[in-house]
Amino acid sequence: EDLLMLLEDYLHITRVRRRNALPLFRVQMTLLNELVSCEKTIAHYKSELMKRADLAAAGSADKADIDAEIRSIKRELHFHEMERRAIRDIGDGIAWRLFDYDRAILQELASRASGKHVNLEGIEAELHEFGHVFNSQQGIAILNDLTHFLKLGDLTIRKDDGSFEFIEVKTKGKTGGRITRQRQDLRRTATFFNVGEREEV
């Protein structure tokens, strides 16, 4: 119940401060920390399930005890998977509002296949760029890892002039590519997603 209230508070902040860079920056940093913790916990419980399956196959433990442990682990796993989904739902809401509820744009952005696990090796570089965008007041940035569907690059920025920039960040902290598009151009051009790593205005 406490976790549910906390998630509702995060959601409330992102809704009422949808155009305020500082609250959105801070809440995304918190959500990312929660998401990383969820994914580590999920990986742990999946590993534990495999261990229990091996014990059952080997017949080295009481079947009733193993079954009880498996049920308990699955409950915990389900809980953390739902928490992970709720965090990304909040991230989706941030993007949904920044794109002015434009379903056509969001469908295009979601059209590329991509895994949605946080890459811990690259997260430091992404956060460095995320902080740079905030400090330089370039606009409002979204950490794409916090969403289900933003799959082009690592950061999505809505600039004050209404254009959007997608940034791919390399592990060493260097920006690999920047693509800038006006909103109407995003709606019009599906081939935009094949542009590659270069900057266009």
Side-chain angles (χ1 to χ4, degrees):
E1 185 177 349
D2 287 344
L3 178 59
L4 178 60
M5 289 189 293
L6 188 59
L7 290 169
E8 287 175 347
D9 288 343
Y10 294 149
L11 175 60
H12 179 70
I13 292 169
T14 62
R15 292 177 67 185
V16 301
R17 304 297 179 205
R18 64 186 68 184
R19 290 291 187 265
N20 301 103
L22 177 59
L24 287 178
F25 176 80
R26 292 288 183 87
V27 78
Q28 285 186 80
M29 292 294 287
T30 300
L31 288 170
L32 181 65
N33 185 59
E34 298 285 350
L35 183 60
V36 169
S37 177
C38 273
E39 291 199 346
K40 286 181 176 178
T41 304
I42 288 168
H44 167 74
Y45 281 123
K46 285 183 176 180
S47 174
E48 290 299 310
L49 276 179
M50 291 179 65
K51 290 177 183 177
R52 297 309 183 281
D54 290 342
L55 286 174
S60 57
D62 183 81
K63 186 178 185 305
D65 291 341
I66 293 176
D67 288 345
E69 289 179 7
I70 288 174
R71 286 193 298 272
S72 177
I73 292 169
K74 283 184 175 179
R75 280 194 301 270
E76 291 296 320
L77 184 59
H78 177 74
F79 173 82
H80 289 287
E81 286 174 340
M82 291 302 99
E83 182 182 3
R84 178 178 64 183
R85 177 171 181 167
I87 290 169
R88 286 209 167 102
D89 284 346
I90 295 171
D92 287 347
I94 296 172
W96 180 242
R97 288 181 285 275
L98 286 185
F99 279 99
D100 294 326
Y101 311 98
D102 194 320
R103 188 177 300 276
I105 288 177
L106 299 181
Q107 286 177 340
E108 289 293 343
L109 289 172
S111 66
R112 302 181 86 192
S114 174
K116 289 310 299 180
H117 289 290
V118 177
N119 179 4
L120 295 179
E121 291 182 2
I123 198 67
E124 183 178 352
E126 289 178 29
L127 291 179
H128 182 271
E129 185 66 23
F130 187 50
H132 173 70
V133 171
F134 171 74
N135 289 329
S136 59
Q137 300 181 349
Q138 295 180 33
I140 296 177
I142 310 168
L143 286 164
N144 292 356
D145 280 337
L146 288 178
T147 74
H148 289 104
F149 64 87
L150 289 181
K151 301 169 183 177
L152 182 63
D154 300 303
L155 300 177
T156 300
I157 306 169
R158 178 181 177 134
K159 297 193 170 184
D160 294 336
D161 64 2
S163 65
F164 291 87
E165 186 171 62
F166 303 87
I167 299 177
E168 180 76 29
V169 182
K170 299 302 183 185
T171 304
K172 298 298 182 181
K174 296 180 180 179
T175 301
R178 290 173 181 262
I179 304 171
T180 304
R181 279 288 185 266
Q182 296 296 327
R183 186 165 174 265
Q184 63 270 22
D185 192 26
L186 269 176
R187 290 203 72 187
R188 234 178 12 244
T189 313
T191 55
F192 153 70
F193 296 104
N194 296 317
V195 169
E197 293 188 350
R198 60 190 175 99
E199 183 171 0
E200 294 193 5
V201 181

